[in-house]
Amino acid sequence: MRFDLDKFTRQTVRAKGRDGKEHKYEGVAVGDILQKVGVEFGEALHQEAAATYLLAEATDGYRVVFALPEFDSPSIDRLIVIADRLDGAPFPAATGPLQIIAPGDKGHGRWVRQVKSLTLLLAPSKSK
């Protein structure tokens, strides 16, 4: 499923980039996109939903995982965005057009450049 990001509320986050300098990233809250596909947060986020995770993949095959509670705004004090602008301008072709920005993640291991896809997956249950 593809989305027109212009139809979502724009968000801005400030975070230190890979260069160690603070930047302004603009885009859409990943939680808003998840709600659009039917993910419910708050009280509804329990049991099976809490075992669902988001797999983000870049064009070069780089992949990272986020637990759904990381996007539950009442439960967390940061906003993870899929950004299309850096300091007011589009990302350079080598790192854009979309990036996942996860403020507070040390080392930027889950900041994804050139985002290709976001996929919801259910963690396997343990065997009995």
Side-chain angles (χ1 to χ4, degrees):
M1 182 180 299
R2 293 192 180 275
F3 292 101
D4 180 358
L5 295 183
D6 292 334
K7 294 188 179 190
F8 288 87
T9 301
R10 301 288 295 177
Q11 302 287 345
T12 300
V13 296
R14 293 192 171 275
K16 285 188 179 179
R18 289 178 173 89
D19 61 3
K21 298 177 185 175
E22 181 152 317
H23 294 281
K24 180 174 83 170
Y25 298 92
E26 300 171 56
V28 173
V30 175
D32 289 351
I33 295 169
L34 293 174
Q35 286 181 318
K36 183 74 172 174
V37 299
V39 173
E40 295 182 35
F41 292 104
E43 292 292 320
L45 187 60
H46 65 282
Q47 294 177 348
E48 191 169 293
T52 302
Y53 60 95
L54 180 73
L55 174 67
E57 187 170 2
T59 57
D60 65 359
Y62 186 72
R63 301 182 317 163
V64 301
V65 170
F66 292 92
L68 281 191
E70 293 183 81
F71 304 107
D72 188 14
S73 56
S75 302
I76 195 155
D77 61 356
R78 70 174 177 163
L79 185 64
I80 299 170
V81 298
I82 185 158
D84 59 0
R85 301 186 73 74
L86 168 64
D87 295 328
F91 285 104
T95 61
L98 300 173
Q99 289 191 22
I100 291 185
I101 307 300
D105 274 15
K106 295 182 179 179
H108 301 98
R110 294 189 308 162
W111 288 38
V112 181
R113 299 176 181 175
Q114 296 182 321
V115 174
K116 176 178 83 171
S117 65
L118 302 175
T119 306
L120 284 172
L121 298 163
L122 181 61
S125 60
K126 65 181 187 179
S127 302
K128 292 187 179 189

